[in-house]
Every structure is written in structure tokens, then in C-alpha cells.
Amino acid sequence: MIMSEKGKQHVDSCRFCWMCHHICPIGNATGQERNTARARALGISLVNREAIDLSEIMDNIFECGCCGACVKECVTGWDPVMFTKETRLHAAMEDKLPEYINVLVDNCFEKGNAYGITEVDAELKKAIAAHTANTDTVLFLGADAIYKAPECAVKAIKVLEKAGVNFTVLENEPNSGAQLEYLISAANETKEVMNNCAKVLNSFKTVVAYDPQDAKVLKREYKEWDINLTAEVKTFTAFVAGLLKDGALKAENSGKKVVYQDPFQLSRDLLETEEAREIINAYAVCEEMLCNKNDTMWAGNILMREWMADVMDKVALSRILNAKCVNADTIVTASVSEYVSLKSVESDVEILSIEDLILG
Amino acid sequence: MQYQMNEFLFAMILTELEDAVGKQNCSTRAIDKVTHSVDYYWLSRMWADRGCRMPEADIVVCPENAQEVSKVLKIANYYKLPVTTWGAGGGTQGGAIPVCGGIILDTKRMNKIYEVNTEGMYIECGTGAIYKHIEWAANEVGKATMHYPSSLTCSTVGGFLAHRGIGVVSTKYGKIDDMVLKMEVVLPNGDIIETCSAPKHAAGPDLNQIFIGSEGTLGIITKAQIRIFDQPEERRFRGFLFQDMTGAFKASRELLQKFKPSVMRLYDEAETASLIKKIVGVERKGAFMNIAYEGVKEMVEVEEKILLETFAKYGAEDLGSEYGEKWWKEKITFFYPGHMMDIPQMFGTMDTIAPYGKIEEIYWAMKAAIEKEFPQAKFIAHFSHWYEWGAMVYDRFIIEGKDVPQDPVEALRLHQRVWTTGVRTAIAHGGVVNDHHGVGIKLGRLMKEQYGPAMQVFEGIKKQLDPNGIMNPFKLGL
């Protein structure tokens, strides 16, 4: 298998180590031994030793949410997300991706989003139409919000409107490359999509990334992969927290007790944990549940619902159980993906987005 | 299996198992079979490292509760299929490796926490729960499990029960068999039984203790009530340096007649100069010992006074609390790859237990035997679990990669010889074949040497409960 020396070293270190067994949100939710970092490493190591065929581990390689809980947990610094993504890249290069992944990748290239959806929701279209004029600031909604959760995208627009922000929303928003980064990692095609996105975004001074997954890629992978993005990228939560501080948003605290679901992209990848809490504490009372801040336990996403919706439900339910353990009846999320995931399962715990809290 | 499995029969059995646990919880995928074939046992790791496939199960099943386990065992008994129970695969003795194929029964879907009872001071949970999750549940109500082995995050409740595991605060709080009140067990014939509602009774032998440590050979433990404890008001640490281990043994024996610390760890000179130097930072010659004592603050004060007086009598140098605290913080770091021995090295932990009059002698005898027979091996040890009557030695051999045969069968032969030499020496000097890692397939051959005619007690129980011999064959010497 084509894999960096670093990748191979990490695989051979993780293949016989169980220390992060307890922390994988998918492993915890499914109880499946294969949903562990060590199982993935063992499988890859056996492919590298020609004891098993790559095709026999490919499904397992796409059963990882790449949330980085295992990476955070490892005191030695081994990185299962890295070798999982390298294996995805290798499979893409060798044309050995599972068919259900190929469809999503092709959709990214052909339709601009993994879901292959071309029509934008009418209400969202209307909300976007009010902000097509050029300004310094662009609200980047992201493919998940536009095509899978348009009501969330509308609320995000309304929050900025409420604060009186002069901003632009792109009618034909380019794909950030976040979906491809997740599916096939650092392929040339991913970088091409990112370069095209950067060209569009560079006509603005500030990019407010609504989806933490986009924020992470725009702020981290773009830099690491030399994508020329000159605009300043701010997370939606950081931007909104700033609006509160500036007085552009006036909050009234309801005294409602809630717990906050930290998106790993913010807390672990971008080291942002307090901004959302500042917003929540302006409108409600933020309490903590098990595994918070950079120890957060992922609650699932929209993209993986395309091939393992049942597992995403289990992941979301596990997180709801964590909230229930501290007697919380409301979870607030800052990730459109986790919001949809948590909302997808039946429970007596209320799921709110940061926008819900602000808009009341 | 007493007949040749064919494709038709295999498909028939598979549908029955799917019916029992649900199709999605029944797998013949290569990734599932492979990941259930390599545990923490050095031989299984070496085998995989050499690009060989370990013996694999034919079918992996993941039942959700005792009722589903019962159905699986009834099917397995009818077709006389081997059943190997798998917790999280963190065992070091090959106990969870499906050496005869058949069914792997993974318990991790049985991970429900049914009750956190702060009056009875227990948590009732499925045995597939990762122990760390039980600890989280205890912590949420201000309690603690006080079972903190290095494998806390990677082993299940059932895994610890299966091989009679132990944690670092065992001297005060006990071993896993002290942590259990009651259990639910599925017998090989599919009957679901419960042990008595309280341990330490006089209603005959304690059934808990028949199944704890039986490594899945007599049945499958599916539920357990695990004790929880109040968090200590105070936990203090004290590091000491002894000039030799004899003084440390005498001091520790005397200390344990006075009170029970929680942590007691004595490192031999070799381990003090290697692991302790690297991770804790003690750069002195001698035998490092870490003691923790905890509980109600006033009692901790008294215990500290007794500790300092007792150890001073035996010439221990008081290193203060810094190293002990560092040790506590890093207690699991020791076991991460990059800190721990790893392939290409060959290594093993031959833990044994014995009374005070014998344990130091065992250490020196094992060290001499290993170093004489295998001059390429390094022998290091620490003594990590202590009682009023004796202690266990956590002794390791390490052979550097350059001295390990590349040929997997040759490597296996060398590994077996080292183990046989070490454990036979321990038995010959009054030690027991193992303290807390279990027997598995690694030490099964030495069980008869350990027990002699007493082995027939185990064999009789096995024959009665599992007449078809389907449960975890070739483990525990049964």
C-alpha cells in the first residue's frame, strides 16, 4: 500500500494497542471490535504485509468519523486519523473505493456536493437572495447546511441579520472541499476544489464559516496544503460571540439550563471551546456533560448517514445518554451536522442550535 | 467439532445464529474475523507481525443480553461448535483467541449500565461494558470503582472477571473478585443462572468464585454488580528508595500488619534504572517504592506517620511525594506503545504470587534461571500487589529484536521455552502459575504441574457443565 513512512510507523504502533478503546464514539455505540483504532491499524498492517486484501478492510476504513478522540487520548501521539485518511487516499488512487463512496465523490465533482442535490430549498433561496450584494464579509453556509439542513442555514442568516451585520451569502457557493477531504483526503482533485473555492472567497475580507467542518478545513487543511486563501476565516461561533461582546446582539438570559455539545472540529482541531459557551451563557445557563471541551464525544454527522445511518443514530443516542446522565433536558449544538444527527433520533431531550437559542 | 463443516451446513448454522442475535450482529466479514484473532498475547502479535493470519473464528456474534447468549450456546451445543468469548481483546494470555475456530462471542453489546445504586454501593452492568465507562458512571455520582489497572480503558468488566484481574489500588480495595457482589451467568447448555445476592455467605461455596477466573471455559458471565466506593477525602503519595529489596520486603510486611495503603509498588534495581528513570524521573541507584494511602483525612495523617516510622526502621530513604504523584499521573503511560516494550522485542510478564517467606526467593530463582538459560534476555521486575501475608512479583523478560528469530515458528518455540523455564521455576519455589493475567492458552500446559491431582476438581466441573467441551477449548488447561 502506498503510505508514508510516518503513516506506517503509526499503523505498526497502534495495531496492538487498546488504550483508546473506550473513547471511540462509533465503537462505543456499536460495540463492534472493528470500530476501534487498533482494529483499523491491524487491518491496514495486514494489508501492508499482504496477508489480507485491501478490499476486505475498505468498509471498515469508512466506518471512522475522523473525530480525533483517539488521537487526543494517545499520550504517545499516535494518530489513527492520519493513517485512516492515508488509506482512503490510497484506495482512491488505486480505484478501490467502495461503490457507495465513489458515488459521493463523483457527486462532489459533478454536482458540487456529495449528495448530488442540485435544487436549493425555496426558503433558503429567498434568504440568500437578500444578501447577494458584495460586502467585506461572506457567510459561508457549507454543503451540509445548504442541501441537507436548509432551515439551519436560514437561521444562521437570521442571526447575522438580527445583529445588523452587513454580509454576503453566495448564490452559487463553491464546495469548500471539506467533504472530499473527509472522503479521499489530500488527493489532487480535493486540492483543485479547494483552490477554486479559495479564488471565490478571496474577494472578501472575512469568511464566516457556519459549519465547523468547513471552518476546520478552511483554517487548517488549506494552510497545510498551500491553498492560497487570503481572506480571514472566522468560525460562526467566534463571530457571533464577538457580536455579543460588541453589543450588536442583545441577549436576554432565560435561565434555562442546557449542556453544550462541543463539535470536535472546534474544540480539538481549532482549540475553540469558550466562544459557544459565552453565547450560551448570555441566553441560558451552560452546564457540562461527560466528555466536554477537547475531550468531546462526537454525536454523528450528516455525510456518514449516506452509508451508515443506523450507526449514526446509535452514536447520537449515546451522546444523548451522556446528557441524561447529568439530568440535562436540553443539548445545544454548534454544528449543523451534529444538530441534524441528534435531531434524527427519538428522545425526550430537546436539541437546540446556537441559532435557536439566539432567535428564541 | 466432530465432523467436517460444509458450505450447506455452515449456511444453515449462520441463519440460526442470525435468528438468535440479529443479522447485523452476526458477521463472517474478514475484518471482524481478523480483529478477533489477535489479542495482547505476544505470540498472536508476533504471528500477525510476520504477516501470518492467526486462527480465526468462522462466525462472530454479538449478543445483546443473556437471553441471546443462551440461544447462541444452545445452537453451539447442538452443532458442537467451539465458542470463545471476547471482551475487548486486551488479554495477554491468548485466552480470547479462537484457536479451534467456531464462534467468537463478543460481549461488548452487553454494555448497559442498569443501575447505579449508592445505597448498596454497586453498579449493575452488562459485562461487555468497558471498565472506564463504569468508572465514569461512578464518578458522576461522586463515587469510584477503585479498580484501576493499566487496561482500565481497554478492557471490559467481563474480561477482568474472566481472568481475575487487579488494579493499582488493590492493597486497600481488593482484586476484581473482591469487587463483585452478584453475577448473572449463562451456562454452556444455555441455562441462565444468578449467583447469590451477597458474597461471603455460608450457603455453600461461593458460585461467584467458581466462574471468576474460569476464562470462559465454564460459562459466560453476562451481568455483574460491581462495588463502588466513596472518593477518598485525601490521597497522598510517598516515594522511597531502598538499598536492596530485602529491606523493602521486611518493611512492607511490617507495614501491612498495621494498615493497608492503597498503592504499593516496589521496583527492582533494573526496573528502577530503566522504566522508573524514564517515566518518573528517579535517577538513583536502588529499589524505588511508591506508597499511596488514602481515605478520611485524620486517618491518612496517622497512616503517614506509621509509614514513615516503619520504613525508616529499614533504612528507606524518603523521597517525598513528588515521584509518587508523578507515578500516579503516569501510571497508564507506562503501557502505551513508545513507552512499553513492543515488537520486534520479545517480552512477557510472568507474574506470580507467594507468601513473604518465598516471594523474594522466587524472584531471584526466576531471574537466575532466565538469565542462565537465555543470556540474551533481560529480566526486570516490580512487586505491585501486596497483602498481609505475601506479594506478587510482576517479572518481565525482554529479548531485543535482533535476538528474536524472524521465522514465526522458531520465535514461538523460543517464547514457549522462556515461559516454561520461568513459570516452572516459580512453581518449584512455591509460587503460583499466575497472579492476575490468567492462564489462557499460554500457560494451560503448566496447570497440571501446578495442581497435580487437584486438577481433577476443575476437570470434573468442566465435564459436568460443558460435556461437549465447546467453551473456549484448550484454555486454562481444560
Side-chain angles (χ1 to χ4, degrees), chain A residues 17-309:
Chain A
C17 175
W18 274 250
M19 300 305 266
C20 60
H21 214 127
H22 66 302
I23 208 77
C24 175
I26 295 185
N28 284 343
T30 63
Q32 298 292 338
E33 187 67 28
R34 67 173 183 274
N35 295 143
T36 57
R38 82 99 196 171
R40 213 159 277 119
L42 179 64
I44 296 168
S45 77
L46 288 172
V47 172
N48 282 335
R49 286 162 176 75
E50 298 178 352
I52 186 171
D53 190 74
L54 178 65
S55 62
E56 297 188 281
I57 67 163
M58 277 321 298
D59 289 339
N60 186 236
I61 294 300
F62 281 95
E63 286 178 334
C64 173
C66 300
C67 74
C70 50
V71 183
K72 158 74 177 56
E73 189 67 17
C74 183
V75 300
T76 320
W78 306 118
D79 188 343
V81 172
M82 175 189 65
F83 60 69
T84 300
K85 287 193 171 174
E86 281 200 29
T87 308
R88 291 179 184 182
L89 176 61
H90 169 78
M93 287 161 63
E94 296 289 308
D95 201 17
K96 287 190 171 164
L97 291 172
E99 195 40 44
Y100 54 87
I101 298 296
N102 267 329
V103 171
L104 302 174
V105 172
D106 289 346
N107 282 340
C108 286
F109 297 136
E110 291 161 17
K111 309 277 170 58
N113 65 86
Y115 314 110
I117 301 172
T118 49
E119 275 301 304
V120 175
D121 170 80
E123 201 185 331
L124 176 58
K125 231 181 202 173
K126 204 170 131 194
I128 293 173
H131 295 280
T132 51
N134 268 353
T135 65
D136 283 349
T137 303
V138 63
L139 174 64
F140 192 88
L141 294 170
D144 278 355
I146 294 174
Y147 300 105
K148 287 287 186 176
E151 72 285 2
C152 294
V154 171
K155 285 180 198 166
I157 291 169
K158 283 183 179 166
V159 166
L160 297 200
E161 284 172 349
K162 188 174 179 178
V165 178
N166 190 20
F167 67 103
T168 304
V169 186
L170 297 166
E171 257 183 315
N172 294 305
E173 187 180 278
N175 192 304
S176 68
Q179 291 180 326
L180 285 171
E181 186 273 332
Y182 175 78
L183 294 168
I184 56 173
S185 190
N188 287 338
E189 290 84 348
T190 308
K191 292 176 187 172
E192 202 181 312
V193 167
M194 289 176 167
N195 273 316
N196 289 336
C197 182
K199 275 180 203 158
V200 176
L201 297 183
N202 281 343
S203 57
F204 297 93
K205 269 189 186 165
T206 306
V207 179
V208 178
Y210 173 56
D211 186 333
Q213 182 69 19
D214 288 316
K216 189 235 11 166
V217 168
L218 291 169
K219 283 172 88 77
R220 198 176 74 172
E221 271 75 8
Y222 273 47
K223 202 174 279 177
E224 285 174 7
W225 298 349
D226 285 332
I227 308 296
N228 183 30
L229 178 62
T230 52
E232 185 192 6
V233 180
K234 290 185 174 174
T235 64
F236 185 74
T237 34
F239 189 74
V240 172
L243 295 175
L244 269 168
K245 271 186 195 153
D246 296 347
L249 273 176
K250 307 271 185 237
E252 195 175 318
N253 199 311
S254 65
K256 185 184 178 75
K257 287 183 180 172
V258 304
V259 289
Y260 173 52
Q261 166 61 18
D262 286 272
F264 70 85
Q265 298 94 337
L266 296 185
S267 65
R268 274 199 283 272
D269 296 333
L270 300 179
L271 306 177
E272 182 195 305
T273 57
E274 299 314 307
E275 286 79 348
R277 285 177 172 77
E278 286 166 16
I279 300 168
I280 293 169
N281 278 322
Y283 291 90
V285 178
C286 185
E287 298 190 330
E288 300 296 349
M289 61 177 155
L290 189 72
C291 298
N292 55 61
K293 300 191 176 176
N294 63 354
D295 286 323
T296 189
M297 189 75 79
W298 178 59
N301 71 16
I302 296 173
L303 185 57
M304 289 179 80
R305 287 193 167 270
E306 294 297 302
W307 69 94
M308 45 196 292

Side-chain angles (χ1 to χ4, degrees), chain A residues 12-23 27-36 38-40 42-46 49-53 56-60 63 73-76 78 289-291 297 310 314 322 325-326, chain B residues 24-25 27 29-32 34-40 44-46 48-53 60 62 86-90 106-109 111 130 132-133 136 140 150-155 332-333 335-339 342-343:
Chain A
D12 280 357
S13 298
C14 294
R15 65 187 163 153
F16 303 137
C17 175
W18 274 250
M19 300 305 266
C20 60
H21 214 127
H22 66 302
I23 208 77
N28 284 343
T30 63
Q32 298 292 338
E33 187 67 28
R34 67 173 183 274
N35 295 143
T36 57
R38 82 99 196 171
R40 213 159 277 119
L42 179 64
I44 296 168
S45 77
L46 288 172
R49 286 162 176 75
E50 298 178 352
I52 186 171
D53 190 74
E56 297 188 281
I57 67 163
M58 277 321 298
D59 289 339
N60 186 236
E63 286 178 334
E73 189 67 17
C74 183
V75 300
T76 320
W78 306 118
M289 61 177 155
L290 189 72
C291 298
M297 189 75 79
D310 56 332
K314 287 178 187 170
N322 289 154
C325 282
V326 292
Chain B
Q24 70 279 19
N25 301 310
S27 173
R29 289 167 63 178
I31 185 70
D32 287 316
V34 161
T35 50
H36 286 93
S37 72
V38 178
D39 65 359
Y40 208 70
S44 73
R45 300 157 75 173
M46 178 277 292
D49 178 70
R50 305 296 196 263
C52 307
R53 301 265 291 257
V60 177
C62 305
W86 180 282
D106 188 319
T107 60
K108 282 195 294 298
R109 282 187 69 233
N111 63 353
I130 301 279
K132 178 74 177 181
H133 295 170
W136 281 345
E140 276 174 343
S150 55
S151 51
L152 175 69
T153 62
C154 55
S155 296
I332 293 185
T333 304
F335 295 89
Y336 276 85
H339 298 276
D342 205 350
I343 281 174

Side-chain angles (χ1 to χ4, degrees), chain B residues 63-211:
Chain B
E64 192 179 21
N65 50 41
Q67 289 68 33
E68 289 188 1
V69 171
S70 168
K71 288 179 191 172
V72 171
L73 293 188
K74 282 176 181 166
I75 295 165
N77 245 311
Y78 180 73
Y79 291 106
K80 298 184 177 53
L81 282 174
V83 178
T84 305
T85 309
W86 180 282
T92 57
Q93 315 294 75
I97 293 172
V99 286
C100 298
I103 295 169
I104 272 277
L105 190 148
D106 188 319
T107 60
K108 282 195 294 298
R109 282 187 69 233
M110 298 191 284
N111 63 353
K112 195 169 173 186
I113 294 173
Y114 294 95
E115 186 187 4
V116 179
N117 190 319
T118 50
E119 196 177 347
M121 294 296 278
Y122 66 82
I123 290 178
E124 183 169 297
C125 63
T127 50
I130 301 279
Y131 220 97
K132 178 74 177 181
H133 295 170
I134 304 299
E135 174 68 12
W136 281 345
N139 294 165
E140 276 174 343
V141 293
K143 309 291 180 192
T145 63
M146 299 301 182
H147 181 68
Y148 305 137
S150 55
S151 51
L152 175 69
T153 62
C154 55
S155 296
T156 59
V157 171
F160 288 118
L161 291 169
H163 72 273
R164 208 177 277 269
I166 200 167
V168 297
V169 291
S170 63
T171 300
K172 184 177 179 76
Y173 298 100
K175 209 170 174 175
I176 194 73
D177 45 84
D178 298 308
M179 303 283 186
V180 181
L181 299 181
K182 179 187 172 185
M183 304 194 309
E184 175 189 74
V185 182
V186 184
L187 299 180
N189 66 4
D191 283 353
I192 301 170
I193 64 164
E194 286 185 0
T195 63
C196 292
S197 55
K200 309 283 182 197
H201 55 71
D206 186 346
L207 276 182
N208 282 345
Q209 303 304 331
I210 290 175
F211 293 100

Side-chain angles (χ1 to χ4, degrees), chain B residues 1-6 9 13 58 75-83 100-102 466-471 473-474:
Chain B
M1 221 183 321
Q2 293 162 349
Y3 51 86
Q4 183 67 40
M5 178 69 82
N6 57 61
L9 190 56
I13 294 170
D58 300 290
I75 295 165
N77 245 311
Y78 180 73
Y79 291 106
K80 298 184 177 53
L81 282 174
V83 178
C100 298
D466 182 22
N468 290 321
I470 62 165
M471 302 302 290
F474 303 129

